[in-house]
Amino acid sequence: MITVTAHAAGQVFKVPTRPGISTTLFWEAVDGAKATVFIFSGGGGGFGKVIEGQPGSSNFLVRSLSYFLSKGFNVAIFGRPEDTEDLDYADRISDKHMADVRAMLEYVQRQSPAPVWIIGTSKGTVSATAAAIKLQDTAIAGLVLTSSVVNYKKPGAVPKQDLSAIKIPTLVLHHSKDACSQCQPYEVPAILRGLTNAPVKKMILADGGSNPGGDVCGALHWHGFIGMEKEAVDMISEWIKNPLP
């Protein structure tokens, strides 16, 4: 049984994704949506506590919710299954995680006919890449990777996955000043080299923003496109609408 918690803006669903296990999903729709962005946040996953219809996580993609909506996109944010409090690297490439993601994608596609683009940031790029590879029968329209995990020592690092299996348009957006040891900009081109069968692929190195603070791998540093959220979403949105190399 699906449980729904309604808020002033979005809704939180608890969707059965495996036998005896439900996973949370934040959903906010717009009229005449051009696409649905299906978001994987970084860190341990999730979208934080929802207050007055807004998810509380400071994650780059989550805190940019309003910008995606303003571009005419439905927003779906993958939460966490009830049997874990942390989605680590290895968890994000596991069969259990893919089962949860499959069920969520199918649920979202029942809510709207708009094409679904999966977007991940930081650790979320591990999930998004794995989904694009393993769940091709779920009719994913395209893939966007932001602040990608490229450190080969990490399970599921994007360049280590079977990128040649990805056959959908793929955008790789990274901040040129990202100082996170797992996401060094100089390693990002390896992703493009691996995408040998993507019909369209593009890498953008952003250079903007202001006032980075805290952990260099955190949401409020260059790693999280601090101070340029709208510009980053503009780049993503325009590419989704017109994917060009």
Side-chain angles (χ1 to χ4, degrees):
M1 182 178 68
I2 296 171
T3 303
V4 182
T5 305
H7 299 277
Q11 294 177 300
V12 176
F13 296 92
K14 290 187 177 180
V15 180
T17 53
R18 282 176 280 127
I21 300 296
S22 292
T23 301
T24 55
L25 176 81
F26 179 88
W27 170 256
E28 188 163 352
V30 296
D31 291 336
K34 300 175 178 67
T36 294
V37 291
F38 187 97
I39 288 171
F40 292 101
S41 63
F47 44 76
K49 186 176 181 180
V50 176
I51 301 173
E52 296 183 355
Q54 298 299 310
S57 172
S58 62
N59 177 267
F60 156 59
L61 292 176
V62 178
R63 72 175 188 265
S64 299
L65 167 67
S66 63
Y67 296 127
F68 284 111
L69 294 170
S70 72
K71 292 294 182 179
F73 298 150
N74 300 323
V75 177
I77 308 175
F78 186 90
R80 281 192 294 261
E82 58 191 2
D83 59 349
T84 185
E85 295 182 358
D86 180 54
L87 288 171
D88 207 351
Y89 294 101
D91 299 318
R92 291 174 178 273
I93 55 174
S94 68
D95 290 342
K96 287 198 306 182
H97 186 50
M98 288 299 103
D100 294 336
V101 174
R102 175 186 293 280
M104 284 298 202
L105 283 169
E106 291 172 348
Y107 181 78
V108 165
Q109 288 165 337
R110 292 196 296 271
Q111 306 312 302
S112 169
V116 175
W117 284 69
I118 52 176
I119 308 181
T121 197
S122 195
K123 280 186 187 177
T125 61
V126 176
S127 296
T129 301
I133 293 168
K134 299 178 180 180
L135 304 179
Q136 296 186 32
D137 60 322
T138 55
I140 299 166
L143 171 66
V144 179
L145 303 174
T146 71
S147 304
S148 299
V149 174
V150 287
N151 184 338
Y152 279 78
K153 294 180 181 179
K154 294 298 181 182
V158 175
K160 287 174 63 176
Q161 296 194 49
D162 183 14
L163 298 180
S164 65
I166 294 177
K167 300 175 182 178
I168 51 178
T170 302
L171 173 67
V172 179
L173 174 65
H174 213 89
H175 201 291
S176 63
K177 297 178 183 175
D178 193 332
C180 181
S181 61
Q182 319 309 329
C183 309
Q184 292 292 291
Y186 76 91
E187 293 188 281
V188 175
I191 299 174
L192 272 288
R193 291 194 296 271
L195 291 166
T196 54
N197 292 307
V200 185
K201 58 186 177 181
K202 186 177 181 67
M203 181 177 75
I204 300 175
L205 277 180
D207 186 16
S210 59
N211 301 317
D215 184 355
V216 295
C217 292
L220 303 180
H221 212 280
W222 301 124
H223 180 69
F225 299 92
I226 188 68
M228 61 168 297
E229 294 86 351
K230 182 179 184 301
E231 292 84 354
V233 171
D234 284 348
M235 286 186 275
I236 293 169
S237 302
E238 292 310 310
W239 202 81
I240 286 175
K241 294 174 184 177
N242 186 26
L244 294 172

